[in-house]
Amino acid sequence: QLQLVESGGAMVQPGGSLRLSCAASGFTLAYTAIGWFRQAPGKERERVSCISGTGASTDYADSVKGRFTVSRDNAKNTVYLIMNNLKPEDTAVYSCAARAYYCSPRTDDFDSWGQGTQVTVSS
């Protein structure tokens, strides 16, 4: 069973940048689609981005498009989320999850959720 661990979260000022990592253990990340999700207190989980198992396709929520970039390095068994021009509304716990090959529009199709990493954007 694939296990995922997120890291890289921190407190930053508006306009700052962070790089989050989603590292796999117990299974290779190759050919595995990885979705990034976030959830703020009192709100439902939101899909932020996803990258297909081959890396050939990516998608982004409208709220982060043009500011966030997802990439993967299968040699390091890691998927990254590079976040630029962060805004207070980006504050949330960010989690990654896995699905075979392709990014599904359904959150329930993802599994092997990590514990999440806290991102706080505040002045």
Side-chain angles (χ1 to χ4, degrees):
Q1 180 71 26
L2 176 65
Q3 294 184 326
L4 302 174
V5 177
E6 303 91 344
S7 63
M11 177 178 289
V12 297
Q13 295 185 5
S17 298
L18 286 172
R19 186 180 75 166
L20 305 184
S21 298
C22 175
S25 63
F27 204 83
T28 180
L29 207 53
Y31 306 111
T32 300
I34 295 293
W36 282 99
F37 303 81
R38 66 186 182 187
Q39 187 167 25
K43 296 187 177 181
E44 294 187 357
R45 182 180 291 114
E46 175 189 19
R47 163 101 152 252
V48 174
S49 182
C50 190
I51 184 167
S52 65
T54 65
S57 64
T58 59
D59 64 59
Y60 301 90
D62 288 342
S63 57
V64 307
K65 195 172 298 181
R67 298 188 296 120
F68 291 11
T69 302
V70 65
S71 64
R72 66 189 305 141
D73 186 342
N74 287 342
K76 297 181 179 179
N77 229 23
T78 302
V79 169
Y80 303 99
L81 184 68
I82 298 92
M83 306 184 295
N84 295 315
N85 192 25
L86 284 160
K87 303 176 179 180
E89 51 263 43
D90 295 319
T91 296
V93 174
Y94 284 72
S95 302
C96 59
R99 187 182 189 274
Y101 294 104
Y102 299 107
C103 295
S104 170
R106 289 173 43 86
T107 301
D108 289 345
D109 287 342
F110 289 82
D111 56 19
S112 300
W113 292 82
Q115 289 298 115
T117 185
Q118 177 71 50
V119 172
T120 302
V121 185
S122 176
S123 60

